[in-house]
Amino acid sequence: MIIKFLRQQVVFLITGVFLVSLLFACQGEPIVESLAPIATPVAQETFATTQFLAVAYPDRELSASPAQLPKLPYADNALEKAIDAETMKLHHDGHHAAYVNKLNEALEKHPELKNRSVEAMLRGLNSVPEDIRETVRNNGGGHLNHTIFWQLMSPNGGGQPTGEIAQQINQTFGSFDAFKKQFNEAGENRFGSGWVWLVRNAQNQLQIVTTPNQDNPIKDGLYPIMGNDVWEHAYYLRYRNRRAEYLNNWWNVVNWPEINRRVQTVSPQT
């Protein structure tokens, strides 16, 4: 009797263990909430502060509804320390106006794009219909680049930078002279037509880059703080093939207050 009783208890115990195991197996793996913080890549953190900022103006992006040629903030002959009046007139009234007209002509084929800013189209070129993509890239880029360019110069410009831009240039490049040398060399070495830029990159650092043709740095997730046009139409009437001389003289008209505003827009503290 005792042996029979013990056998029943063992069977009961084994059955219970099997049922409990089966129950847990049916429920699947338990969900464990991690208490460790999730690391965010630096690029994501900084793109969040730069990717959607206005680039053309302090308070707004560049409208394409329709695109319009902005007025120069000074007279054609106001920047004679670096750029002659005839070049300014041809550059603004001829070349920039042509970019605006060609962009508007392209957008007539796809009027739904007119609700997007020029910056938005350039940041998302792959979403622009293929039949006008290169036209938008070239002429939208030309419109945006020149809209920025006119603001970066002033009849009262030149001299040494001051304020935050001066501090950040010194921290990044060692001195203003070292920065100017690197900037000029990059512009001089840009093969063919294009631009030389000072940008804030994905790591929230200042960086000198060049772009071909009318590409703007926002295409690569960079924020343009200052830039110089090294297309021949920007300097050829006065300087002929002496691009280095043009680059050197351009510092006499640089609008440091405007550049300070732009650098503060994407300052690491913001």
Side-chain angles (χ1 to χ4, degrees), residues 170-181:
N170 289 336
Q171 290 172 1
T172 304
F173 301 97
S175 69
F176 173 58
D177 287 340
F179 161 67
K180 186 164 69 170
K181 182 175 183 292

Side-chain angles (χ1 to χ4, degrees), residues 107 113 116 120-122 124-134 136:
L107 295 180
L113 294 177
R116 301 175 64 184
M121 285 187 279
L122 294 177
L125 273 173
N126 288 338
S127 66
V128 174
E130 188 174 359
D131 62 317
I132 64 167
R133 187 174 301 159
E134 279 303 300
V136 169

Side-chain angles (χ1 to χ4, degrees), residues 177-206:
D177 287 340
F179 161 67
K180 186 164 69 170
K181 182 175 183 292
Q182 291 182 44
F183 191 91
N184 284 355
E185 288 176 349
E188 189 175 358
N189 293 331
R190 174 73 247 177
F191 182 78
S193 300
W195 292 74
V196 55
W197 304 92
L198 176 68
V199 301
R200 187 167 296 287
N201 63 23
Q203 288 72 44
N204 246 334
Q205 300 166 333
L206 295 186

Side-chain angles (χ1 to χ4, degrees), residues 5-251:
F5 174 77
L6 290 175
R7 285 177 178 173
Q8 290 175 344
Q9 294 298 314
V10 170
V11 171
F12 177 79
L13 180 61
I14 292 173
T15 302
V17 170
F18 174 78
L19 290 175
V20 170
S21 300
L22 183 62
L23 177 62
F24 275 98
C26 292
Q27 289 179 340
E29 294 293 327
I31 299 174
V32 179
E33 183 177 358
S34 173
L35 300 180
I38 300 174
T40 303
V42 173
Q44 290 184 8
E45 293 177 347
T46 55
F47 282 153
T49 63
T50 63
Q51 191 172 5
F52 303 107
L53 292 173
V55 174
Y57 297 105
D59 57 346
R60 67 190 189 280
E61 294 191 338
L62 196 55
S63 173
S65 182
Q68 296 183 357
L69 180 68
K71 292 182 179 180
L72 284 176
Y74 32 72
D76 290 337
N77 63 354
L79 305 180
E80 287 280 357
K81 290 183 288 185
I83 303 171
D84 60 280
E86 187 177 7
T87 295
M88 285 298 302
K89 185 170 182 60
L90 287 171
H91 201 169
H92 176 267
D93 299 355
H95 293 282
H96 190 174
Y99 297 132
V100 171
N101 293 336
K102 290 177 181 178
L103 176 62
N104 283 330
E105 288 174 7
L107 295 180
E108 286 299 322
K109 301 176 184 177
H110 295 278
E112 71 278 4
L113 294 177
K114 294 181 182 181
N115 295 324
R116 301 175 64 184
S117 69
V118 174
E119 287 98 323
M121 285 187 279
L122 294 177
R123 286 181 176 120
L125 273 173
N126 288 338
S127 66
V128 174
E130 188 174 359
D131 62 317
I132 64 167
R133 187 174 301 159
E134 279 303 300
T135 303
V136 169
R137 176 180 178 177
N138 293 331
N139 294 283
H143 181 28
L144 177 60
N145 289 351
H146 287 86
T147 298
I148 297 169
F149 186 54
W150 310 133
Q151 299 173 73
L152 297 177
M153 299 181 290
S154 167
N156 302 316
Q160 295 279 327
T162 59
E164 186 168 344
I165 185 61
Q167 296 174 12
Q168 294 195 26
I169 284 175
N170 289 336
Q171 290 172 1
T172 304
F173 301 97
S175 69
F176 173 58
D177 287 340
F179 161 67
K180 186 164 69 170
K181 182 175 183 292
Q182 291 182 44
F183 191 91
N184 284 355
E185 288 176 349
E188 189 175 358
N189 293 331
R190 174 73 247 177
F191 182 78
S193 300
W195 292 74
V196 55
W197 304 92
L198 176 68
V199 301
R200 187 167 296 287
N201 63 23
Q203 288 72 44
N204 246 334
Q205 300 166 333
L206 295 186
Q207 181 181 351
I208 295 171
V209 300
T210 66
T211 56
N213 302 315
Q214 292 296 351
D215 282 353
N216 187 281
I218 63 170
K219 180 174 169 288
D220 300 313
L222 306 169
Y223 184 90
I225 292 169
M226 64 181 288
N228 194 359
D229 188 349
V230 296
W231 281 63
E232 287 188 342
H233 66 230
Y235 62 86
Y236 199 79
L237 291 181
R238 177 170 174 179
Y239 298 96
R240 303 303 179 186
N241 63 336
R242 304 187 304 276
R243 182 189 286 185
E245 185 180 347
Y246 158 70
L247 286 164
N248 193 57
N249 285 346
W250 182 73
W251 297 99

